[in-house]
Amino acid sequence: MLNKLNPVQREAVTYLDGPLLVLAGAGSGKTRVITHKIAYLIDQCGYAARNIAAITFTNKAANEMRERVGTLAQGSNTKGLVVSTFHSLGMNILRAEAVLLGYKPQFSIFDSSDTWKIIGELTNSGDKQEIRDIQTQISNWKSAFVSPEQAAQIADKDETKVQARIYSRYQETLRAYQAVDFDDLIHLPVVLFNEHPEALLRWQQRLRYLLVDEYQDTNDCQYQMIKLLAGSRAAVTVVGDDDQSIYAWRGASIENLHNLRKDYPNLHVVKLEQNYRSSQRILKVANHLINHNTKVFEKKLWSDHGIGDPIRIYAARDDEHEAESVVMKLISHKFEHRTRFADYAILYRSNHLSRAFEEQLRTQRVPYTVSGGTSFFDRAEIKDITAYLRLIANPDDDPAFIRAITTPKRGIGNTTLEKLGSYAGSRHISLFEAAFEAHVQQELPPRQYEELMTFCNFINRIQDRADKDPCGELLDELLRAINYETWLYDSHEPRQADTKWENVQEFIAWLKRKSEADEKSLIAMVQTIALINMLEGKDQEPDAVSLSTLHAAKGLEFPHVFIIAAEEDILPFRDSDEKQIEEERRLMYVGITRAERSLQISYCNRRKRGKDWMACEPSRFLEEMPEDELVYAGSHADAAPTVTKGEGMDKLAKLKAMLNRPVTE
């Protein structure tokens, strides 16, 4: 098994004499190191799989690791191995220790749309930016372990005083609903471990070796969680790259890599510098650029993949011309090299920049996918069904109660809900619990009360069986009972209803498969759903060009990459201070190192903002790249020709030869 690793990777896998930092450059095989180390710990070092935890940031990365370990450790018992996201691990800890923090194990997990709704109601404001700002502030306070009381004390402006008040009421609301938000899934385990040493000891004995991926992306909460779990034994391997730290805006701290040396004076560092992805030219440009940043750990990527094509810098007249020229270049390159559409990616700093490219790709009938599109679980029909499941798992979940009882509509309107809500509020109980109290019967007209009781009794009946009966059986029964299919076709256009019903069926089929594979009851599946960002059943990637933000492209690779809008005020983002410029430079570095064989970076001479044309300045990062590796093209005054006349004739001759070649497929 170890023979397939290079010497440095082998050192990272076999080192067990203390805490280890694997400084893993882009494309240097970090997942291979983590998965081989897990197999090594089980096969060679006598660790039981259930005593090992590998922690990462996305479900996709966790699934990939799990599959690779399964292949490597064939014959070994991997049952109980924890390969999960930070949030998933936090959820499992909270579920096991909920009582210590005053929660029940079936607590609800609120996503950002749930919390948005609560904050909107608390502020009584329709101002989206205000709600977003409060959401961000609360999230930052939780990550920094600032309680609502402390937030009120440190608030120095009127705006922050209001936010602190909302924070306090928001936490009270979550408590009343027996719910936690995404930040709580990391924040509360740290609170638990600090307040209940016996719980910490339980988890330290359970998870005896920790492997942490993408360590540079951890925030303060995640850092504390790992530090507490590792304890004095410090049996931990962390893998990270300070050159790819691009998430400061959501609380990630590059300092966490630097702090490792303070926390663990005996820290051993292994550098993975051999890149298995990109050509030498691409790496030379990436190294040259990132050397303009201040460094704590020096490293230099290298590759034996050959010199590769020169990096093309393309100057477009305007944004429409940029989109047109990039798409035409992509199509001609695909035709000439007989590649797949999936071999190409168009990367950009901000989502709005994709529009012109989507129009061009549609015009040219080129299939494409956009990362960061609507998640499967964010679709209205999936949220409808999920509301029922959430309510079955936790009757105190008021937002789920309101969505479920009104979808499909069943004669219970706003007036009924307001009366029920008002009574529940005065008694400090959930809407579901309030429905069963005698006073409510007197308050409501008989027909509405009867509908309310029919609904609540139905939820109780399903709940009684939710931990015992097969998940699939209950799901089929639920769909039949609420008559969801008929309601969809009654309330939507036929084609729209078809799509929505297909999505529901796909969701139910996925739930059945997953509950069977993981041996989970309906109740356990509900909390799993809350943590999943995309449907795991779709294994086959479509043959389509990838449109993606630079942030979302991290961790991916493509043979051919176009980075667009490399302009001042876009990349780097406007008003960036010195620290933020370094992060923007890392973002450009991440974009460059996604490319395997060819890379084009483009910018516009002018760009439309509203009805006005604005002159654009090329990004400073272009000047920081080695001149001898770049070829300039396009409508800039000093742009050099892309190819000489002789090269052009040669290219034309090759294209003619390809057209005359007999078709073999």
Side-chain angles (χ1 to χ4, degrees), residues 519-538:
E519 298 179 0
K520 283 185 174 176
S521 68
L522 185 64
I523 296 281
M525 282 305 298
V526 177
Q527 287 175 324
T528 304
I529 294 164
L531 292 179
I532 293 173
N533 302 321
M534 63 187 73
L535 195 62
E536 289 172 18
K538 296 188 174 174

Side-chain angles (χ1 to χ4, degrees), residues 129-237:
Q129 191 56 50
E130 185 189 354
I131 296 170
R132 197 174 292 119
D133 289 345
I134 294 171
Q135 254 186 326
T136 305
Q137 180 61 271
I138 290 174
S139 178
N140 290 342
W141 273 329
K142 285 191 179 186
S143 293
F145 297 99
V146 176
S147 68
E149 297 74 34
Q150 290 166 325
Q153 285 167 6
I154 60 172
D156 52 353
K157 296 183 197 148
D158 288 345
E159 187 187 4
T160 15
K161 284 175 184 169
V162 170
Q163 289 171 337
R165 275 201 301 277
I166 300 292
Y167 179 23
S168 177
R169 291 169 62 201
Y170 169 76
Q171 281 304 105
E172 286 167 11
T173 308
L174 286 186
R175 273 280 181 187
Y177 292 164
Q178 278 284 300
V180 300
D181 62 21
F182 264 40
D183 292 307
D184 286 331
L185 292 175
I186 313 293
H187 173 87
L188 287 174
V190 175
V191 171
L192 170 85
F193 291 155
N194 283 323
E195 291 179 358
H196 299 277
E198 73 284 8
L200 176 59
L201 188 60
R202 262 196 300 279
W203 284 90
Q204 285 174 341
Q205 287 170 342
R206 161 82 206 279
L207 305 177
R208 302 185 72 81
Y209 202 98
L210 302 175
L211 301 103
V212 189
D213 190 18
E214 304 285 13
Y215 201 72
Q216 77 283 346
D217 293 339
T218 54
N219 61 26
D220 291 341
C221 256
Q222 288 155 337
Y223 184 79
Q224 293 289 340
M225 185 177 174
I226 294 302
K227 192 177 165 186
L228 285 161
L229 281 170
S232 56
R233 194 168 63 242
V236 61
T237 292

Side-chain angles (χ1 to χ4, degrees), residues 329-542:
K329 169 85 177 159
L330 188 154
I331 291 168
S332 67
H333 189 280
K334 180 186 184 296
F335 173 73
E336 190 179 342
H337 296 275
R338 298 199 163 191
T339 49
R340 297 165 64 241
F341 284 119
D343 291 338
Y344 298 86
I346 299 171
L347 308 181
Y348 35 82
R349 176 64 178 82
S350 303
N351 273 309
H352 73 273
L353 294 162
S354 74
R355 283 178 210 138
F357 290 84
E358 289 191 63
E359 281 171 26
Q360 273 300 324
L361 290 164
R362 278 200 298 270
T363 303
Q364 301 299 333
R365 299 192 171 173
V366 173
Y368 67 91
T369 59
V370 183
S371 74
T374 306
S375 156
F376 187 83
F377 290 94
D378 280 338
R379 295 167 199 261
E381 60 275 19
I382 305 303
K383 279 187 167 284
D384 289 343
I385 305 303
T386 306
Y388 281 89
L389 303 181
R390 278 169 48 177
L391 188 61
I392 289 160
N394 173 17
D396 292 332
D397 187 336
D398 280 1
F401 178 91
I402 291 164
R403 185 161 194 145
I405 204 166
T406 54
T407 318
K409 292 188 168 44
R410 45 170 63 75
I412 295 169
N414 284 346
T415 314
T416 305
L417 286 173
E418 275 170 26
K419 285 179 181 171
L420 185 65
S422 168
Y423 177 73
S426 69
R427 293 267 291 109
H428 303 292
I429 55 177
S430 69
L431 295 170
F432 190 87
E433 194 179 337
F436 290 96
E437 300 221 337
H439 180 80
V440 169
Q441 186 174 1
Q442 295 154 20
E443 284 284 307
L444 299 179
R447 188 167 159 271
Q448 271 79 2
Y449 180 72
E450 192 181 321
E451 290 281 5
L452 179 65
M453 291 324 298
T454 302
F455 173 79
C456 292
N457 287 325
F458 165 69
I459 295 295
N460 270 338
R461 281 199 303 279
I462 297 277
Q463 191 186 27
D464 286 343
R465 298 162 52 201
D467 255 337
K468 302 186 286 284
D469 289 11
C471 186
E473 197 179 292
L474 287 170
L475 288 166
D476 289 338
E477 196 175 313
L478 174 70
L479 279 186
R480 275 196 308 273
I482 67 174
N483 217 358
Y484 192 77
E485 183 183 6
T486 307
W487 176 77
L488 273 180
Y489 283 93
D490 286 347
S491 48
H492 296 87
E493 294 291 319
R495 192 182 291 180
Q496 199 183 8
D498 282 342
T499 306
K500 285 176 176 287
W501 181 240
E502 273 173 30
N503 286 339
V504 169
Q505 288 178 304
E506 190 178 345
F507 176 51
I508 296 296
W510 174 83
L511 274 172
K512 288 177 180 176
R513 281 198 310 274
K514 189 139 180 72
S515 66
E516 212 170 296
D518 297 353
E519 298 179 0
K520 283 185 174 176
S521 68
L522 185 64
I523 296 281
M525 282 305 298
V526 177
Q527 287 175 324
T528 304
I529 294 164
L531 292 179
I532 293 173
N533 302 321
M534 63 187 73
L535 195 62
E536 289 172 18
K538 296 188 174 174
D539 295 327
Q540 266 196 307
E541 293 293 321

